[in-house]
Amino acid sequence: MKKCVLCNTERAQLKRPKTGQQICKTCFYAVFEYEIHRTIVDNKLFKRGDKVAIAASGGKDSTVLAHTMKLLNDRYDYGLDLCLLSIDEGIAGYRDDSLETVKRNQQQYSLPLLIVSYEELYGWSMDKIVAQIGTKNNCTFCGVFRRQALDRGAARLKVDHIVTGHNADDVAETVLMNLFRGDFARLTRCTQITTQTIETSDEAAPTAPLTIPRSKPFKYTYEKEIVMYAYFLQLDYFSTECTYSVEAYRGYARVFLKDLEKVRPSAIMDIIHSGEAYQLDTSSTTTTTPAAITADAAGKNTKKARGVTQKQGNCERCGYISSNKLCKACVLLESLNKGLPSVTIG
């Protein structure tokens, strides 16, 4: 019988995907929870008294996040006021079922729950959007609407912080996606464990900005270990993939990452650390690549492409943070309301 390499007492029951260690279930639970605790403490994600909204979808990541946040809050006395925040995109047979899981989680963890819907905020559900534009660009609409919906819901709850279930695999995939697209501005930001979203109040008063930090406690936690943790503890979660994500660009990055992981299990952390080490040089506004020279000659290079930060303001229509007259959500809504099949947003 091979013994656990950590306690050297119990029988080893699993091999950690992150480290390759053969350990028992008890030690797995302990190291899994402690590593998340260290991520929270070392990065100073919260302060005592903060009201924190857990972005809850009913999937494995958000369910384990809700479980561990409540567990660690009690164990280490963070002093946080926790609640659940869910977004109903309006996808029949998917989100309606997963929200039933969230409602059960609410009862299981005794946490308040707020559900905010696209239909309520925008007058459109994802089913209606896909019926109009098809499945090619639907993830663009959903991503923009979801980010704003989370901020709107957080403003209603009057929270100080939002936590999401983005794990190490998600972060590594985002690094790869930005690298493949040559989006170096986003590449410098995508590995940040905490990001700031400046929103107005729910009534969209432009004079009342509300800054809501958004963090990823699972930034260094492997997806496989989250699945193992949920499975061993028999947590209640919804496991079906979104019916509209089949053609999502992220899927290609995910397949590539899984292939890398098979050859080198540390590839996920290696990619994250590479993204963290990356710094965009904005000291020069002169572009030297052939493509950039051609774009300069054609007058196509924008200030954003040259590393000049655009001034942030508020959307004239809804009051959401925007560097243009209209925020991305309002631009997309305008295209939908006009019956346009697609739209390009900057």
mmCIF file of all heavy atoms in Angstrom, residues 298-345:
data_model
loop_
_atom_site.group_PDB
_atom_site.id
_atom_site.type_symbol
_atom_site.label_atom_id
_atom_site.label_comp_id
_atom_site.label_asym_id
_atom_site.label_seq_id
_atom_site.Cartn_x
_atom_site.Cartn_y
_atom_site.Cartn_z
ATOM 1 N N ALA A 298 -1.668 54.503 -43.433
ATOM 2 C CA ALA A 298 -3.085 54.559 -43.788
ATOM 3 C C ALA A 298 -3.900 55.317 -42.752
ATOM 4 O O ALA A 298 -5.112 55.464 -42.904
ATOM 5 C CB ALA A 298 -3.633 53.132 -43.927
ATOM 6 N N GLY A 299 -3.238 55.728 -41.679
ATOM 7 C CA GLY A 299 -3.933 56.473 -40.626
ATOM 8 C C GLY A 299 -4.823 55.597 -39.773
ATOM 9 O O GLY A 299 -5.794 56.058 -39.193
ATOM 10 N N LYS A 300 -4.489 54.305 -39.675
ATOM 11 C CA LYS A 300 -5.367 53.367 -38.976
ATOM 12 C C LYS A 300 -4.966 53.141 -37.525
ATOM 13 O O LYS A 300 -5.737 52.602 -36.757
ATOM 14 C CB LYS A 300 -5.390 52.017 -39.705
ATOM 15 C CG LYS A 300 -6.039 52.099 -41.078
ATOM 16 C CD LYS A 300 -6.031 50.738 -41.746
ATOM 17 C CE LYS A 300 -6.678 50.793 -43.130
ATOM 18 N NZ LYS A 300 -6.642 49.475 -43.786
ATOM 19 N N ASN A 301 -3.741 53.482 -37.143
ATOM 20 C CA ASN A 301 -3.322 53.228 -35.766
ATOM 21 C C ASN A 301 -3.960 54.225 -34.815
ATOM 22 O O ASN A 301 -3.840 55.433 -34.990
ATOM 23 C CB ASN A 301 -1.794 53.323 -35.641
ATOM 24 C CG ASN A 301 -1.136 51.970 -35.837
ATOM 25 O OD1 ASN A 301 -1.795 50.952 -35.739
ATOM 26 N ND2 ASN A 301 0.151 51.969 -36.117
ATOM 27 N N THR A 302 -4.637 53.715 -33.820
ATOM 28 C CA THR A 302 -5.310 54.577 -32.852
ATOM 29 C C THR A 302 -4.404 54.835 -31.669
ATOM 30 O O THR A 302 -3.372 54.196 -31.492
ATOM 31 C CB THR A 302 -6.598 53.904 -32.337
ATOM 32 O OG1 THR A 302 -6.233 52.720 -31.648
ATOM 33 C CG2 THR A 302 -7.529 53.564 -33.491
ATOM 34 N N LYS A 303 -4.829 55.772 -30.811
ATOM 35 C CA LYS A 303 -4.072 56.056 -29.597
ATOM 36 C C LYS A 303 -4.005 54.825 -28.713
ATOM 37 O O LYS A 303 -2.997 54.562 -28.070
ATOM 38 C CB LYS A 303 -4.722 57.211 -28.821
ATOM 39 C CG LYS A 303 -4.558 58.551 -29.499
ATOM 40 C CD LYS A 303 -5.176 59.642 -28.640
ATOM 41 C CE LYS A 303 -4.998 61.008 -29.287
ATOM 42 N NZ LYS A 303 -5.619 62.078 -28.471
ATOM 43 N N LYS A 304 -5.089 54.059 -28.726
ATOM 44 C CA LYS A 304 -5.131 52.856 -27.894
ATOM 45 C C LYS A 304 -4.067 51.870 -28.335
ATOM 46 O O LYS A 304 -3.388 51.252 -27.524
ATOM 47 C CB LYS A 304 -6.517 52.225 -27.975
ATOM 48 C CG LYS A 304 -6.686 50.998 -27.083
ATOM 49 C CD LYS A 304 -8.094 50.477 -27.182
ATOM 50 C CE LYS A 304 -8.292 49.257 -26.311
ATOM 51 N NZ LYS A 304 -9.645 48.723 -26.401
ATOM 52 N N ALA A 305 -3.907 51.711 -29.658
ATOM 53 C CA ALA A 305 -2.923 50.779 -30.184
ATOM 54 C C ALA A 305 -1.508 51.234 -29.864
ATOM 55 O O ALA A 305 -0.595 50.439 -29.772
ATOM 56 C CB ALA A 305 -3.094 50.619 -31.692
ATOM 57 N N ARG A 306 -1.293 52.558 -29.718
ATOM 58 C CA ARG A 306 0.038 53.075 -29.430
ATOM 59 C C ARG A 306 0.330 53.167 -27.943
ATOM 60 O O ARG A 306 1.351 53.697 -27.530
ATOM 61 C CB ARG A 306 0.180 54.471 -30.063
ATOM 62 C CG ARG A 306 0.105 54.439 -31.584
ATOM 63 C CD ARG A 306 0.149 55.845 -32.145
ATOM 64 N NE ARG A 306 0.000 55.814 -33.593
ATOM 65 C CZ ARG A 306 -0.073 56.903 -34.336
ATOM 66 N NH1 ARG A 306 -0.025 58.091 -33.780
ATOM 67 N NH2 ARG A 306 -0.206 56.800 -35.645
ATOM 68 N N GLY A 307 -0.592 52.665 -27.130
ATOM 69 C CA GLY A 307 -0.342 52.623 -25.705
ATOM 70 C C GLY A 307 -0.776 53.857 -24.958
ATOM 71 O O GLY A 307 -0.447 54.039 -23.798
ATOM 72 N N VAL A 308 -1.522 54.774 -25.604
ATOM 73 C CA VAL A 308 -2.012 55.967 -24.944
ATOM 74 C C VAL A 308 -3.368 55.660 -24.318
ATOM 75 O O VAL A 308 -4.283 55.197 -24.989
ATOM 76 C CB VAL A 308 -2.143 57.141 -25.949
ATOM 77 C CG1 VAL A 308 -2.690 58.379 -25.242
ATOM 78 C CG2 VAL A 308 -0.794 57.444 -26.585
ATOM 79 N N THR A 309 -3.485 55.879 -23.033
ATOM 80 C CA THR A 309 -4.712 55.552 -22.317
ATOM 81 C C THR A 309 -5.829 56.520 -22.662
ATOM 82 O O THR A 309 -5.643 57.731 -22.636
ATOM 83 C CB THR A 309 -4.470 55.589 -20.794
ATOM 84 O OG1 THR A 309 -3.407 54.694 -20.494
ATOM 85 C CG2 THR A 309 -5.709 55.175 -20.044
ATOM 86 N N GLN A 310 -7.007 55.964 -22.989
ATOM 87 C CA GLN A 310 -8.153 56.799 -23.286
ATOM 88 C C GLN A 310 -8.793 57.286 -21.990
ATOM 89 O O GLN A 310 -8.779 56.596 -20.974
ATOM 90 C CB GLN A 310 -9.178 56.003 -24.093
ATOM 91 C CG GLN A 310 -8.705 55.684 -25.512
ATOM 92 C CD GLN A 310 -9.721 54.851 -26.248
ATOM 93 O OE1 GLN A 310 -9.971 53.708 -25.921
ATOM 94 N NE2 GLN A 310 -10.337 55.436 -27.250
ATOM 95 N N LYS A 311 -9.368 58.471 -22.013
ATOM 96 C CA LYS A 311 -10.008 59.050 -20.834
ATOM 97 C C LYS A 311 -11.328 58.340 -20.565
ATOM 98 O O LYS A 311 -12.153 58.166 -21.444
ATOM 99 C CB LYS A 311 -10.254 60.547 -21.060
ATOM 100 C CG LYS A 311 -10.814 61.254 -19.828
ATOM 101 C CD LYS A 311 -10.987 62.728 -20.100
ATOM 102 C CE LYS A 311 -11.565 63.434 -18.874
ATOM 103 N NZ LYS A 311 -11.750 64.883 -19.105
ATOM 104 N N GLN A 312 -11.502 57.931 -19.313
ATOM 105 C CA GLN A 312 -12.717 57.230 -18.944
ATOM 106 C C GLN A 312 -13.807 58.229 -18.568
ATOM 107 O O GLN A 312 -13.545 59.241 -17.934
ATOM 108 C CB GLN A 312 -12.460 56.301 -17.754
ATOM 109 C CG GLN A 312 -11.521 55.142 -18.072
ATOM 110 C CD GLN A 312 -12.181 54.048 -18.877
ATOM 111 O OE1 GLN A 312 -13.261 54.224 -19.409
ATOM 112 N NE2 GLN A 312 -11.515 52.915 -18.991
ATOM 113 N N GLY A 313 -15.016 57.917 -19.001
ATOM 114 C CA GLY A 313 -16.165 58.739 -18.665
ATOM 115 C C GLY A 313 -17.354 57.838 -18.408
ATOM 116 O O GLY A 313 -17.193 56.698 -17.989
ATOM 117 N N ASN A 314 -18.546 58.345 -18.679
ATOM 118 C CA ASN A 314 -19.756 57.552 -18.492
ATOM 119 C C ASN A 314 -20.572 57.526 -19.774
ATOM 120 O O ASN A 314 -20.612 58.504 -20.526
ATOM 121 C CB ASN A 314 -20.612 58.114 -17.359
ATOM 122 C CG ASN A 314 -19.925 58.005 -16.015
ATOM 123 O OD1 ASN A 314 -19.355 58.972 -15.536
ATOM 124 N ND2 ASN A 314 -19.955 56.827 -15.415
ATOM 125 N N CYS A 315 -21.217 56.404 -20.016
ATOM 126 C CA CYS A 315 -22.086 56.250 -21.176
ATOM 127 C C CYS A 315 -23.222 57.274 -21.105
ATOM 128 O O CYS A 315 -23.859 57.444 -20.067
ATOM 129 C CB CYS A 315 -22.640 54.825 -21.198
ATOM 130 S SG CYS A 315 -23.878 54.515 -22.478
ATOM 131 N N GLU A 316 -23.461 57.952 -22.212
ATOM 132 C CA GLU A 316 -24.503 58.977 -22.243
ATOM 133 C C GLU A 316 -25.904 58.385 -22.101
ATOM 134 O O GLU A 316 -26.833 59.077 -21.702
ATOM 135 C CB GLU A 316 -24.418 59.770 -23.560
ATOM 136 C CG GLU A 316 -23.165 60.625 -23.688
ATOM 137 C CD GLU A 316 -23.123 61.394 -24.994
ATOM 138 O OE1 GLU A 316 -24.009 61.149 -25.854
ATOM 139 O OE2 GLU A 316 -22.224 62.239 -25.167
ATOM 140 N N ARG A 317 -26.034 57.095 -22.420
ATOM 141 C CA ARG A 317 -27.360 56.482 -22.428
ATOM 142 C C ARG A 317 -27.696 55.805 -21.100
ATOM 143 O O ARG A 317 -28.774 55.994 -20.566
ATOM 144 C CB ARG A 317 -27.459 55.473 -23.579
ATOM 145 C CG ARG A 317 -28.843 54.870 -23.759
ATOM 146 C CD ARG A 317 -28.939 54.154 -25.103
ATOM 147 N NE ARG A 317 -28.750 55.082 -26.218
ATOM 148 C CZ ARG A 317 -28.549 54.700 -27.472
ATOM 149 N NH1 ARG A 317 -28.506 53.412 -27.767
ATOM 150 N NH2 ARG A 317 -28.383 55.590 -28.422
ATOM 151 N N CYS A 318 -26.753 54.993 -20.568
ATOM 152 C CA CYS A 318 -27.065 54.233 -19.349
ATOM 153 C C CYS A 318 -26.236 54.637 -18.145
ATOM 154 O O CYS A 318 -26.525 54.223 -17.030
ATOM 155 C CB CYS A 318 -26.892 52.735 -19.606
ATOM 156 S SG CYS A 318 -25.165 52.204 -19.758
ATOM 157 N N GLY A 319 -25.162 55.417 -18.361
ATOM 158 C CA GLY A 319 -24.333 55.864 -17.254
ATOM 159 C C GLY A 319 -23.199 54.938 -16.891
ATOM 160 O O GLY A 319 -22.415 55.226 -15.988
ATOM 161 N N TYR A 320 -23.067 53.795 -17.592
ATOM 162 C CA TYR A 320 -22.009 52.844 -17.286
ATOM 163 C C TYR A 320 -20.660 53.416 -17.711
ATOM 164 O O TYR A 320 -20.580 54.257 -18.608
ATOM 165 C CB TYR A 320 -22.292 51.523 -18.013
ATOM 166 C CG TYR A 320 -21.421 50.375 -17.583
ATOM 167 C CD1 TYR A 320 -21.651 49.732 -16.375
ATOM 168 C CD2 TYR A 320 -20.368 49.936 -18.372
ATOM 169 C CE1 TYR A 320 -20.862 48.662 -15.968
ATOM 170 C CE2 TYR A 320 -19.573 48.872 -17.981
ATOM 171 C CZ TYR A 320 -19.825 48.247 -16.777
ATOM 172 O OH TYR A 320 -19.032 47.200 -16.387
ATOM 173 N N ILE A 321 -19.573 52.940 -17.073
ATOM 174 C CA ILE A 321 -18.236 53.417 -17.400
ATOM 175 C C ILE A 321 -17.919 53.167 -18.873
ATOM 176 O O ILE A 321 -18.170 52.097 -19.416
ATOM 177 C CB ILE A 321 -17.182 52.732 -16.504
ATOM 178 C CG1 ILE A 321 -15.804 53.324 -16.729
ATOM 179 C CG2 ILE A 321 -17.166 51.241 -16.708
ATOM 180 C CD1 ILE A 321 -15.667 54.734 -16.230
ATOM 181 N N SER A 322 -17.375 54.185 -19.535
ATOM 182 C CA SER A 322 -17.077 54.056 -20.956
ATOM 183 C C SER A 322 -16.085 55.133 -21.378
ATOM 184 O O SER A 322 -16.113 56.250 -20.864
ATOM 185 C CB SER A 322 -18.364 54.182 -21.786
ATOM 186 O OG SER A 322 -18.087 54.148 -23.166
ATOM 187 N N SER A 323 -15.204 54.800 -22.326
ATOM 188 C CA SER A 323 -14.282 55.789 -22.875
ATOM 189 C C SER A 323 -14.874 56.427 -24.124
ATOM 190 O O SER A 323 -14.283 57.332 -24.708
ATOM 191 C CB SER A 323 -12.936 55.128 -23.209
ATOM 192 O OG SER A 323 -13.134 54.045 -24.103
ATOM 193 N N ASN A 324 -16.051 55.975 -24.522
ATOM 194 C CA ASN A 324 -16.754 56.545 -25.669
ATOM 195 C C ASN A 324 -18.108 57.100 -25.220
ATOM 196 O O ASN A 324 -18.484 56.970 -24.056
ATOM 197 C CB ASN A 324 -16.963 55.471 -26.750
ATOM 198 C CG ASN A 324 -15.652 54.896 -27.245
ATOM 199 O OD1 ASN A 324 -14.759 55.621 -27.657
ATOM 200 N ND2 ASN A 324 -15.529 53.571 -27.186
ATOM 201 N N LYS A 325 -18.833 57.705 -26.145
ATOM 202 C CA LYS A 325 -20.136 58.268 -25.798
ATOM 203 C C LYS A 325 -21.097 57.191 -25.326
ATOM 204 O O LYS A 325 -21.898 57.410 -24.421
ATOM 205 C CB LYS A 325 -20.725 59.019 -27.003
ATOM 206 C CG LYS A 325 -20.012 60.329 -27.323
ATOM 207 C CD LYS A 325 -20.713 61.066 -28.444
ATOM 208 C CE LYS A 325 -20.032 62.406 -28.719
ATOM 209 N NZ LYS A 325 -20.723 63.148 -29.803
ATOM 210 N N LEU A 326 -21.038 56.027 -25.980
ATOM 211 C CA LEU A 326 -21.882 54.893 -25.599
ATOM 212 C C LEU A 326 -21.000 53.735 -25.144
ATOM 213 O O LEU A 326 -19.956 53.474 -25.736
ATOM 214 C CB LEU A 326 -22.751 54.441 -26.767
ATOM 215 C CG LEU A 326 -23.800 55.421 -27.302
ATOM 216 C CD1 LEU A 326 -24.575 54.794 -28.452
ATOM 217 C CD2 LEU A 326 -24.751 55.871 -26.201
ATOM 218 N N CYS A 327 -21.423 53.047 -24.079
ATOM 219 C CA CYS A 327 -20.686 51.873 -23.626
ATOM 220 C C CYS A 327 -20.908 50.724 -24.614
ATOM 221 O O CYS A 327 -21.788 50.787 -25.482
ATOM 222 C CB CYS A 327 -21.130 51.466 -22.225
ATOM 223 S SG CYS A 327 -22.829 50.850 -22.133
ATOM 224 N N LYS A 328 -20.121 49.655 -24.459
ATOM 225 C CA LYS A 328 -20.223 48.528 -25.387
ATOM 226 C C LYS A 328 -21.604 47.880 -25.361
ATOM 227 O O LYS A 328 -22.127 47.466 -26.398
ATOM 228 C CB LYS A 328 -19.153 47.486 -25.053
ATOM 229 C CG LYS A 328 -17.734 47.951 -25.353
ATOM 230 C CD LYS A 328 -16.725 46.881 -25.010
ATOM 231 C CE LYS A 328 -15.310 47.340 -25.328
ATOM 232 N NZ LYS A 328 -14.305 46.305 -24.988
ATOM 233 N N ALA A 329 -22.194 47.796 -24.161
ATOM 234 C CA ALA A 329 -23.516 47.175 -24.051
ATOM 235 C C ALA A 329 -24.550 47.970 -24.836
ATOM 236 O O ALA A 329 -25.388 47.391 -25.532
ATOM 237 C CB ALA A 329 -23.924 47.061 -22.578
ATOM 238 N N CYS A 330 -24.500 49.298 -24.746
ATOM 239 C CA CYS A 330 -25.479 50.130 -25.457
ATOM 240 C C CYS A 330 -25.266 50.076 -26.966
ATOM 241 O O CYS A 330 -26.223 50.142 -27.736
ATOM 242 C CB CYS A 330 -25.417 51.570 -24.941
ATOM 243 S SG CYS A 330 -26.195 51.783 -23.319
ATOM 244 N N VAL A 331 -23.996 49.964 -27.385
ATOM 245 C CA VAL A 331 -23.709 49.824 -28.823
ATOM 246 C C VAL A 331 -24.316 48.514 -29.337
ATOM 247 O O VAL A 331 -24.948 48.478 -30.402
ATOM 248 C CB VAL A 331 -22.190 49.852 -29.084
ATOM 249 C CG1 VAL A 331 -21.888 49.477 -30.537
ATOM 250 C CG2 VAL A 331 -21.618 51.229 -28.773
ATOM 251 N N LEU A 332 -24.134 47.449 -28.565
ATOM 252 C CA LEU A 332 -24.687 46.148 -28.965
ATOM 253 C C LEU A 332 -26.209 46.164 -28.933
ATOM 254 O O LEU A 332 -26.863 45.619 -29.836
ATOM 255 C CB LEU A 332 -24.158 45.058 -28.041
ATOM 256 C CG LEU A 332 -22.661 44.749 -28.146
ATOM 257 C CD1 LEU A 332 -22.240 43.761 -27.074
ATOM 258 C CD2 LEU A 332 -22.295 44.218 -29.527
ATOM 259 N N LEU A 333 -26.787 46.792 -27.918
ATOM 260 C CA LEU A 333 -28.248 46.892 -27.836
ATOM 261 C C LEU A 333 -28.806 47.681 -29.009
ATOM 262 O O LEU A 333 -29.863 47.336 -29.558
ATOM 263 C CB LEU A 333 -28.655 47.558 -26.520
ATOM 264 C CG LEU A 333 -28.635 46.679 -25.273
ATOM 265 C CD1 LEU A 333 -28.878 47.523 -24.034
ATOM 266 C CD2 LEU A 333 -29.671 45.571 -25.378
ATOM 267 N N GLU A 334 -28.110 48.730 -29.391
ATOM 268 C CA GLU A 334 -28.551 49.548 -30.518
ATOM 269 C C GLU A 334 -28.599 48.710 -31.790
ATOM 270 O O GLU A 334 -29.540 48.807 -32.593
ATOM 271 C CB GLU A 334 -27.618 50.742 -30.692
ATOM 272 C CG GLU A 334 -28.114 51.787 -31.679
ATOM 273 C CD GLU A 334 -27.254 53.038 -31.643
ATOM 274 O OE1 GLU A 334 -26.042 52.930 -31.906
ATOM 275 O OE2 GLU A 334 -27.800 54.120 -31.358
ATOM 276 N N SER A 335 -27.569 47.860 -31.977
ATOM 277 C CA SER A 335 -27.540 47.013 -33.170
ATOM 278 C C SER A 335 -28.682 46.002 -33.148
ATOM 279 O O SER A 335 -29.288 45.711 -34.181
ATOM 280 C CB SER A 335 -26.192 46.290 -33.271
ATOM 281 O OG SER A 335 -26.089 45.253 -32.315
ATOM 282 N N LEU A 336 -28.984 45.460 -31.955
ATOM 283 C CA LEU A 336 -30.080 44.506 -31.833
ATOM 284 C C LEU A 336 -31.426 45.173 -32.108
ATOM 285 O O LEU A 336 -32.273 44.636 -32.832
ATOM 286 C CB LEU A 336 -30.090 43.889 -30.436
ATOM 287 C CG LEU A 336 -28.978 42.899 -30.101
ATOM 288 C CD1 LEU A 336 -29.008 42.555 -28.617
ATOM 289 C CD2 LEU A 336 -29.098 41.631 -30.941
ATOM 290 N N ASN A 337 -31.618 46.338 -31.510
ATOM 291 C CA ASN A 337 -32.896 47.034 -31.660
ATOM 292 C C ASN A 337 -33.138 47.530 -33.083
ATOM 293 O O ASN A 337 -34.277 47.706 -33.503
ATOM 294 C CB ASN A 337 -32.970 48.206 -30.677
ATOM 295 C CG ASN A 337 -33.032 47.734 -29.223
ATOM 296 O OD1 ASN A 337 -33.568 46.678 -28.946
ATOM 297 N ND2 ASN A 337 -32.464 48.515 -28.318
ATOM 298 N N LYS A 338 -32.041 47.730 -33.826
ATOM 299 C CA LYS A 338 -32.169 48.150 -35.220
ATOM 300 C C LYS A 338 -32.258 46.958 -36.171
ATOM 301 O O LYS A 338 -32.391 47.128 -37.383
ATOM 302 C CB LYS A 338 -30.982 49.031 -35.624
ATOM 303 C CG LYS A 338 -31.016 50.427 -34.986
ATOM 304 C CD LYS A 338 -29.825 51.247 -35.462
ATOM 305 C CE LYS A 338 -29.866 52.658 -34.886
ATOM 306 N NZ LYS A 338 -28.683 53.464 -35.307
ATOM 307 N N GLY A 339 -32.104 45.741 -35.587
ATOM 308 C CA GLY A 339 -32.206 44.540 -36.406
ATOM 309 C C GLY A 339 -30.963 44.234 -37.201
ATOM 310 O O GLY A 339 -31.016 43.493 -38.191
ATOM 311 N N LEU A 340 -29.801 44.792 -36.783
ATOM 312 C CA LEU A 340 -28.553 44.525 -37.509
ATOM 313 C C LEU A 340 -28.038 43.146 -37.116
ATOM 314 O O LEU A 340 -28.119 42.733 -35.949
ATOM 315 C CB LEU A 340 -27.497 45.571 -37.155
ATOM 316 C CG LEU A 340 -27.874 47.027 -37.488
ATOM 317 C CD1 LEU A 340 -26.770 47.967 -37.019
ATOM 318 C CD2 LEU A 340 -28.110 47.182 -38.991
ATOM 319 N N PRO A 341 -27.474 42.388 -38.073
ATOM 320 C CA PRO A 341 -27.030 41.028 -37.797
ATOM 321 C C PRO A 341 -25.797 40.949 -36.913
ATOM 322 O O PRO A 341 -25.599 39.996 -36.187
ATOM 323 C CB PRO A 341 -26.727 40.445 -39.177
ATOM 324 C CG PRO A 341 -26.409 41.648 -40.014
ATOM 325 C CD PRO A 341 -27.270 42.756 -39.503
ATOM 326 N N SER A 342 -24.917 41.949 -36.988
ATOM 327 C CA SER A 342 -23.698 41.928 -36.202
ATOM 328 C C SER A 342 -23.180 43.351 -36.046
ATOM 329 O O SER A 342 -23.630 44.261 -36.726
ATOM 330 C CB SER A 342 -22.603 41.062 -36.853
ATOM 331 O OG SER A 342 -22.249 41.592 -38.117
ATOM 332 N N VAL A 343 -22.230 43.529 -35.167
ATOM 333 C CA VAL A 343 -21.681 44.854 -34.929
ATOM 334 C C VAL A 343 -20.253 44.690 -34.436
ATOM 335 O O VAL A 343 -19.914 43.711 -33.784
ATOM 336 C CB VAL A 343 -22.527 45.637 -33.896
ATOM 337 C CG1 VAL A 343 -22.471 44.972 -32.540
ATOM 338 C CG2 VAL A 343 -22.070 47.087 -33.791
ATOM 339 N N THR A 344 -19.398 45.655 -34.782
ATOM 340 C CA THR A 344 -18.024 45.649 -34.315
ATOM 341 C C THR A 344 -17.892 46.660 -33.192
ATOM 342 O O THR A 344 -18.325 47.801 -33.342
ATOM 343 C CB THR A 344 -17.044 46.015 -35.446
ATOM 344 O OG1 THR A 344 -17.190 45.067 -36.493
ATOM 345 C CG2 THR A 344 -15.608 45.992 -34.943
ATOM 346 N N ILE A 345 -17.319 46.228 -32.074
ATOM 347 C CA ILE A 345 -17.131 47.145 -30.958
ATOM 348 C C ILE A 345 -15.641 47.270 -30.673
ATOM 349 O O ILE A 345 -14.887 46.326 -30.788
ATOM 350 C CB ILE A 345 -17.867 46.661 -29.699
ATOM 351 C CG1 ILE A 345 -17.444 45.244 -29.327
ATOM 352 C CG2 ILE A 345 -19.365 46.745 -29.880
ATOM 353 C CD1 ILE A 345 -18.080 44.726 -28.065
#
